[in-house]
Amino acid sequence: MWRDTTEMAQAVREKKVSSKELVTEAIEKIERLNPQLNAVVSKQYEQALEKAEMGDFSGKLFGGVPILLKDLGQQQVGELATSGSRLFANNRSRITDNYVKKLEELGFVILGRTNTPEFGFKNISDSSLHGAVNLPADTSRNAGGSSGGAAAAVSSGMVPLAAASDGGGSIRIPASFNGLIGLKPSRGRVPVGPTSFRGWQGASSQFAITKSVRDTRNLLYGMQVCQLESPFPHPLLNSTNSRQPLKIAYSLESPIGSQVSDHARNAVLSLLPILEKLGHHVSELTHQPIDGLAAMRSYYIMNSVETAQMFDEIEAGFGRTMTPDDMELMTWAIFRSGQKIPAKVYSKVLQDWDNYSAQMWNFHRQYDLLLTPTVNGPAPRHGQFALSSELKDRLLNMDDYSMMEQQDLIWEMFADSLAWTPFTQSANLTGQPAISLPTYETDQGLPLGVQFTAAKGGENLLLQLASDLEDRGLLK
């Protein structure tokens, strides 16, 4: 019935529908669809209905519109916050994050939380606490991660927009698998804090998965801040309707040297004549702007150190040492690998990230946008990235290995899943905005997105191009 969230909010403002009617409709859809999809893992219907009936939504951009939060890093005081972890199965937030406060200020009515892998480490959602998220288009496949529940909720029609986050592609990957729009904003664009200000050293950003470009644009302009107390303050975007020819570089190569599928190549190649017809200048890259293999190695080192630090706080809170029984094997391996990384190695990683950011800034002096596949194939089948028994044994005994051997094991642990999604992580390291757009489907009718990346602060270019493609009916 509703085209998107923007249309819903307009209908509430014009009193064509009440917020309570919208919330009731969304609850009915969740209750009907969720048993098959497993997208929503906690519900706060009573509070939502009360707010919908009693709340004052006048003058609010998304007043009265229902939304789902992600069950990771989007805390709301008094509500469950499990991070997909058995350790926190009954944990309730003591604070409300600034990101969530901003959503509430915009008038959204929160219905509950969506499924995510444990601590968001995977590009699929299959936590041992909540189980796997099924792709609505084919339930034998996973909806992706780490914002898999959010994507499944939107693509199934539970809600037209769901809160999400992206630390290595976690918005763009499930958006691609589900045929949706997934924007990762520039680092510092969206509110952070009040407890965590540099998630994964700035690699992680909060935003949303949407069905329409105007929802993406309106939410971005509504959410953006110049947050001077944060480590990465960013100038505010100015609204613009200008249309200009863009210089677009495209790449059909994997940044880590892995094989690129025909589907992924075709997703990009099929778009090139359309871009040229729109007046843009398109050319193929002859070499990668940054060293993708080295960048990915640095990403895993960051992940190891940040996880080790996180578990220092967890152990202090629980008053005991963590064991493999407390967490999934992947989490254990990452946690333990962080124990042997010297400070000087981590300092070098962060220095490298700054250099990658500078290299990409110089790249964008020549090109407005970089076009790649978002992912290397459609949504994976459940169990597609299962680890061998021999690798599991080594991961369980992670403490027996040297730092370099541990990092090699981390690489091996992620090898198959990374080869499926090698294109998204660099924008997290460099802080650039990147968007996945649903322009392609396989011969089985499964979505496969393309990714455009802009220079830091360049969201308007991404939205301009996305809007042009949408207006011409080119988004699937």
Side-chain angles (χ1 to χ4, degrees):
M1 177 180 177
W2 304 103
R3 174 186 166 191
D4 58 10
T5 306
T6 298
E7 186 175 77
M8 278 184 172
Q10 183 177 353
V12 173
R13 286 193 296 271
E14 296 175 354
K15 301 191 184 303
K16 294 179 179 179
V17 68
S18 69
S19 175
K20 186 175 181 180
E21 288 174 305
L22 293 179
V23 168
T24 300
E25 179 184 38
I27 290 172
E28 184 277 326
K29 289 178 179 178
I30 294 169
E31 290 301 295
R32 176 166 47 87
L33 298 170
N34 201 55
Q36 184 181 30
L37 302 179
N38 196 31
V40 180
V41 293
S42 67
K43 304 163 185 177
Q44 52 194 80
Y45 294 161
E46 187 175 332
Q47 302 95 309
L49 287 167
E50 181 179 353
K51 180 173 180 179
E53 189 165 17
M54 306 299 294
D56 179 7
F57 303 114
S58 57
K60 296 188 176 181
L61 183 60
F62 292 106
V65 173
I67 192 174
L68 290 161
L69 301 182
K70 181 177 177 179
D71 190 23
L72 177 68
Q74 297 179 359
Q75 297 190 74
Q76 185 186 22
V77 66
E79 299 299 332
L80 280 171
T82 75
S83 300
S85 168
R86 298 189 305 272
L87 275 170
F88 297 103
N90 299 307
N91 178 58
R92 293 191 177 272
S93 299
R94 297 179 181 179
I95 62 162
T96 297
D97 289 326
N98 289 334
Y99 168 80
V100 175
K101 288 179 182 177
K102 192 69 172 178
L103 290 176
E104 292 176 320
E105 289 172 12
L106 293 176
F108 283 109
V109 178
I110 299 169
L111 297 179
R113 275 152 190 74
T114 56
N115 203 342
T116 183
E118 186 174 64
F119 300 116
F121 289 141
K122 297 183 183 180
N123 58 8
I124 56 174
S125 297
D126 64 348
S127 77
S128 61
L129 174 64
H130 295 303
V133 182
N134 296 323
L135 185 76
D138 179 354
T139 56
S140 70
R141 298 174 183 269
N142 195 284
S146 63
S147 305
V154 174
S155 62
S156 66
M158 294 178 186
V159 288
L161 180 155
S165 60
D166 192 316
S170 291
I171 287 175
R172 291 159 287 157
I173 290 167
S176 176
F177 292 156
N178 285 267
L180 300 168
I181 298 168
L183 171 69
K184 184 200 81 69
S186 296
R187 179 180 294 155
R189 177 73 67 208
V190 174
V192 293
T195 55
S196 175
F197 285 90
R198 51 167 71 230
W200 286 2
Q201 292 300 325
S204 182
S205 300
Q206 308 284 346
F207 195 58
I209 292 176
T210 70
K211 281 187 172 179
S212 75
V213 176
R214 69 173 180 173
D215 270 2
T216 306
R217 179 188 295 107
N218 290 342
L219 183 65
L220 184 69
Y221 273 83
M223 292 293 296
Q224 70 167 336
V225 292
C226 181
Q227 196 174 0
L228 295 179
E229 75 271 25
S230 78
F232 308 110
H234 217 289
L236 296 179
L237 288 168
N238 294 316
S239 180
T240 176
N241 293 315
S242 65
R243 292 292 186 268
Q244 62 189 68
L246 301 174
K247 294 182 68 176
I248 302 173
Y250 72 92
S251 175
L252 301 174
E253 303 297 322
S254 164
I256 61 168
S258 54
Q259 185 174 355
V260 177
S261 72
D262 288 341
H263 283 311
R265 292 172 59 86
N266 290 338
V268 171
L269 292 173
S270 64
L271 195 58
L272 300 184
I274 295 170
L275 295 172
E276 291 174 338
K277 189 174 181 180
L278 289 172
H280 303 302
H281 307 289
V282 181
S283 57
E284 185 173 8
L285 277 185
T286 57
H287 64 278
Q288 294 293 321
I290 64 174
D291 184 337
L293 276 170
M296 203 63 224
R297 289 278 185 180
S298 75
Y299 180 87
Y300 289 149
I301 290 175
M302 174 280 298
N303 213 234
S304 299
V305 173
E306 293 298 310
T307 302
Q309 187 276 331
M310 177 182 74
F311 272 103
D312 277 354
E313 295 185 1
I314 291 173
E315 289 181 335
F318 277 79
R320 64 175 178 84
T321 300
M322 294 290 112
T323 73
D325 293 334
D326 291 313
M327 64 198 77
E328 296 178 21
L329 180 59
M330 179 174 287
T331 303
W332 173 258
I334 298 171
F335 162 41
R336 299 313 301 171
S337 68
Q339 308 300 319
K340 293 185 178 180
I341 298 172
K344 62 183 180 181
V345 171
Y346 196 45
S347 178
K348 177 64 164 56
V349 162
L350 299 181
Q351 181 182 344
D352 289 342
W353 284 21
D354 291 341
N355 289 330
Y356 297 145
S357 181
Q359 290 167 24
M360 289 306 302
W361 180 258
N362 288 326
F363 169 83
H364 284 291
R365 290 180 175 179
Q366 183 176 0
Y367 299 104
D368 296 302
L369 301 177
L370 172 62
L371 166 62
T372 67
T374 305
V375 293
N376 203 14
R381 296 193 179 278
H382 292 301
Q384 184 169 324
F385 303 138
L387 305 179
S388 69
S389 297
E390 185 268 339
L391 178 56
K392 287 180 179 179
D393 287 341
R394 288 188 287 157
L395 295 173
L396 184 62
N397 296 290
M398 201 68 163
D399 290 339
D400 295 342
Y401 299 93
S402 69
M403 183 197 82
M404 291 306 300
E405 289 171 331
Q406 287 178 338
Q407 288 303 303
D408 286 343
L409 284 171
I410 295 294
W411 187 275
E412 185 177 352
M413 179 175 73
F414 281 116
D416 289 343
S417 60
L418 176 61
W420 208 255
T421 58
F423 305 102
T424 55
Q425 294 83 11
S426 63
N428 298 86
L429 275 62
T430 59
Q432 296 171 248
I435 193 169
S436 180
L437 298 175
T439 62
Y440 182 83
E441 290 181 351
T442 70
D443 49 13
Q444 294 178 296
L446 293 170
L448 199 71
V450 295
Q451 175 181 248
F452 289 94
T453 304
K456 278 189 286 189
E459 286 95 334
N460 277 337
L461 293 183
L462 299 177
L463 294 171
Q464 168 199 323
L465 182 58
S467 181
D468 287 345
L469 294 173
E470 184 181 54
D471 290 345
R472 288 162 175 79
L474 298 171
L475 301 188
K476 302 292 185 181

